[in-house]
Amino acid sequence: MALKLFNTLTRSVQEFAPAGPDPKKVGMYCCGPTVYDFAHIGNWRTFVFADLVRRTLEFSGYDVKHVMNVTDVEDKIIKRIQEQQTTLREFTGRFETAFFDDLQALNCRRPHVTPHATEHIPEIIALIAKLTARGVAYQAGDGSVYFSIEKYRGCGCVYGQLQKLKVDELRVGERVAADEYDKEAVADFALWKARVPADGNVFWPSPWGEGRPGWHIECSAMSMKALGETFDLHLGGEDLKFPHHEDEIAQSEGATGRPFVRHWLHGAHLLVEGKKMSKSLGNFFTLRDLQAKGFTGREVRYLLLTAHYRETFNFTLDGLRSAQAALARIDECVGKLRELAAGAPAAGETEAPWLAAFAAALADDLNISAAWAAVFNWVSEMNKRLAAGSVTAAEAAAALAAWTRADSVLAVGAKVEAAEIPAELTALLAARQAARQARDFKRSDALRDELKAKGWVIEDTPKGPKLKKA
Ligand code: AMP
Ligand code: ZN
């Protein structure tokens, strides 16, 4: 079934098809975190949305190369390291580690490539040099290099592809140095920022003197390095359409003369208790804040995945409590199916009608409500049949196989407590561990295969091996 997704470039829902040459390979870039603080749940809505896109593509048979940058040099970062008298690496490293821990707690697949801006200074300089050589960038009196919107438009290029902008009212040569600015401030924007005392020791040499890159050029350089000059999908939160993504398009197309991205996807914002999240309103939550209140990453993920990505979503603590109840319904049903299946082989389940409805809903511009409706209809149906005692072991195993397939996208996986793992399996795991320690790899492999045949895989974790449902 063809996957349809809204494209911000055309403002319409379009069939998604990779540019090729391999029709199954997709290049996908999502603007990553600016590591100057802990990510808040608004940010997480966007990263969980990116994970949903990736998992849906993989579910649909695509081979995705997922790239997400880490913005580790930018205005807000510089300001904070000056305030806190620390070094760039020490400061950003701490928040980057926290980011990836949270990403894991939310069960997001880790992007395949996670380039850092500070590790791509030569690529960024090369891209700016290309723009100056093509005459669409210039060094101003303040020593910084700016992108000329007038020159760019003079080459027949369009500035304002994602959003209508009043570029005709643009006062030629007016400049904006800040990374973030609003629509009223459409102006030539900074590609390379000349060193100023407030930058402390955050600077690099360049053909235009010492300085640092602007935020927008970082993403153009890193995305094209990882995915080529034209790639399939670019994602981010809707606030990034302007100026960040508009500037990414201008810099990339201005340098290469080719279309930059074929399909742009933007996730709508998250509100908290009906309002914009802010520290002063006391409605500002990081994932850690919610964990401290006793909620899990899995519950937060579920809640963030209940709304369509193009609709503003109102996050509430009551919503999280409902998420717990909804997950408990899935857990109960899946738990019973597991008991019943007890290692029975599954037969032909991936054709389950509810799974087809689930897949069709996702293919329809990620209609997540319809996808959840398919899941909960299945849970209700299954519960009735389980209560009537009319489910055989083979049917239970088949139903679990279908759920596992759906859960490869949802990734809210039914909870498997240690206590739920049958003692017989724990014994097999212990025997395999003993065999490994005795360097009897033949036996340890045989035990691993035995566990696999029963539907369990061994996961080696820093705390030792653990059993996971295959
Ligand atoms: P940042 O770390 O500020 O660059 O933001 C990371 C991502 O979070 C970007 O894609 C933003 O668009 C997104 N984002 C920021 N605030 C919100 C919000 N309230 N709701 C949804 N996404 C957001
Ligand atoms: Zn970006």
Side-chain angles (χ1 to χ4, degrees):
M1 190 184 317
L3 174 61
K4 290 192 186 135
L5 296 169
F6 186 85
N7 187 352
T8 317
L9 265 186
T10 58
R11 279 91 163 153
S12 64
V13 175
Q14 267 176 241
E15 201 167 293
F16 172 76
D22 183 336
K24 280 288 161 203
K25 279 206 177 0
V26 176
M28 163 173 146
Y29 185 89
C30 179
C31 290
T34 305
V35 280
Y36 73 104
D37 208 336
F38 296 108
H40 57 63
I41 45 164
N43 302 134
W44 287 120
R45 180 179 191 200
T46 295
F47 294 116
V48 168
F49 154 58
D51 186 61
L52 174 70
V53 173
R54 166 171 168 187
R55 285 173 178 271
T56 301
L57 286 163
E58 288 173 343
F59 177 84
S60 314
Y62 289 109
D63 176 7
V64 182
K65 181 171 177 187
H66 179 186
V67 183
M68 184 199 72
N69 70 301
V70 176
T71 301
D72 60 351
V73 56
E74 173 269 2
D75 293 353
K76 293 192 289 282
I77 297 177
I78 306 255
K79 190 160 172 267
R80 295 233 175 145
I81 62 171
Q82 299 307 341
E83 284 164 4
Q84 300 181 16
Q85 301 274 304
T86 174
T87 63
L88 185 73
R89 216 154 283 294
E90 194 178 84
F91 178 77
T92 58
R94 190 156 68 90
F95 292 115
E96 181 178 335
T97 304
F99 177 86
F100 283 106
D101 286 349
D102 290 357
L103 192 75
Q104 197 176 4
L106 288 164
N107 219 358
C108 292
R109 286 187 176 146
R110 197 180 167 106
H112 304 100
V113 191
T114 51
H116 291 69
T118 55
E119 287 162 12
H120 288 79
I121 302 294
E123 287 84 352
I124 292 169
I125 289 177
L127 189 57
I128 300 174
K130 233 179 180 177
L131 290 167
T132 53
R134 289 190 129 217
V136 286
Y138 61 95
Q139 187 166 27
D142 63 358
S144 296
V145 180
Y146 290 88
F147 185 89
S148 164
I149 296 179
E150 193 209 4
K151 291 274 165 49
Y152 176 67
R153 293 182 74 218
C155 304
C157 296
V158 180
Y159 188 76
Q161 297 191 28
L162 298 172
Q163 255 183 17
K164 281 237 167 315
L165 297 172
K166 292 186 184 163
V167 265
D168 292 329
E169 291 170 18
L170 184 74
R171 272 167 293 175
V172 173
E174 206 162 289
R175 289 185 279 273
V176 53
D179 283 331
E180 291 181 62
Y181 51 91
D182 55 31
K183 264 198 285 190
E184 280 59 55
V186 175
D188 291 358
F189 56 90
L191 302 170
W192 186 261
K193 303 186 187 204
R195 184 181 174 193
V196 292
D199 289 342
N201 53 13
V202 181
F203 65 89
W204 289 265
S206 86
W208 313 281
E210 289 168 343
R212 62 184 170 97
W215 171 36
H216 317 299
I217 195 81
E218 297 176 6
C219 276
S220 285
M222 291 187 280
S223 61
M224 290 198 290
K225 181 180 178 200
L227 297 170
E229 291 180 348
T230 301
F231 59 89
D232 299 309
L233 269 177
H234 195 315
L235 281 78
E238 62 185 356
D239 57 314
L240 297 192
K241 279 186 215 168
F242 181 83
H244 186 56
H245 289 163
E246 206 59 60
D247 291 352
E248 273 190 50
I249 295 175
Q251 296 158 155
S252 308
E253 301 192 353
T256 68
R258 295 172 196 221
F260 175 44
V261 170
R262 302 174 70 241
H263 213 119
W264 285 88
L265 281 178
H266 290 98
H269 260 200
L270 180 93
L271 296 179
V272 176
E273 311 279 354
K275 300 197 177 73
K276 195 176 162 164
M277 207 176 348
S278 89
K279 291 212 164 117
S280 58
L281 288 173
N283 65 355
F284 184 97
F285 295 117
T286 63
L287 179 62
R288 281 136 206 264
D289 296 333
L290 297 171
Q291 286 167 327
K293 288 183 187 294
F295 297 106
T296 62
R298 175 179 179 245
E299 290 155 6
V300 175
R301 178 181 175 95
Y302 173 87
L303 184 58
L304 293 177
L305 278 181
T306 50
H308 190 267
Y309 74 96
R310 286 196 282 125
E311 275 161 26
T312 308
F313 179 58
N314 189 27
F315 184 94
T316 62
L317 291 175
D318 274 348
L320 261 186
R321 285 184 272 274
S322 306
Q324 287 178 321
L327 287 172
R329 282 188 65 205
I330 297 178
D331 289 350
E332 200 192 337
C333 176
V334 172
K336 282 188 191 147
L337 288 171
R338 279 198 183 128
E339 270 169 38
L340 201 57
E349 179 47 42
T350 32
E351 281 125 49
W354 77 268
L355 194 59
F358 174 85
L362 287 174
D364 178 17
D365 191 28
L366 308 174
N367 184 347
I368 198 76
S369 324
W372 283 117
V375 169
F376 284 105
N377 285 341
W378 167 72
V379 169
S380 301
E381 243 347 271
M382 224 5 127
N383 280 343
K384 274 188 219 144
R385 291 185 52 204
L386 285 164
S390 68
V391 185
T392 65
E395 281 169 345
L400 283 174
W403 162 245
T404 304
R405 178 113 175 88
D407 196 45
S408 72
V409 179
L410 301 170
V412 293
K415 194 162 53 175
V416 182
E417 302 293 358
E420 281 178 59
I421 300 175
E424 172 217 358
L425 300 181
T426 323
L428 282 177
L429 180 67
R432 183 248 185 189
Q433 205 41 17
R436 279 186 89 183
Q437 265 153 13
R439 306 189 67 75
D440 183 354
F441 296 116
K442 209 166 152 198
R443 178 162 163 71
S444 93
D445 285 352
L447 287 162
R448 185 200 54 209
D449 291 346
E450 199 180 331
L451 280 163
K452 198 164 174 208
K454 292 182 190 295
W456 294 79
V457 289
I458 301 166
E459 206 181 31
D460 285 309
T461 73
K463 290 185 189 147
K466 283 206 171 127
L467 281 179
K468 228 180 84 182
K469 267 278 174 194

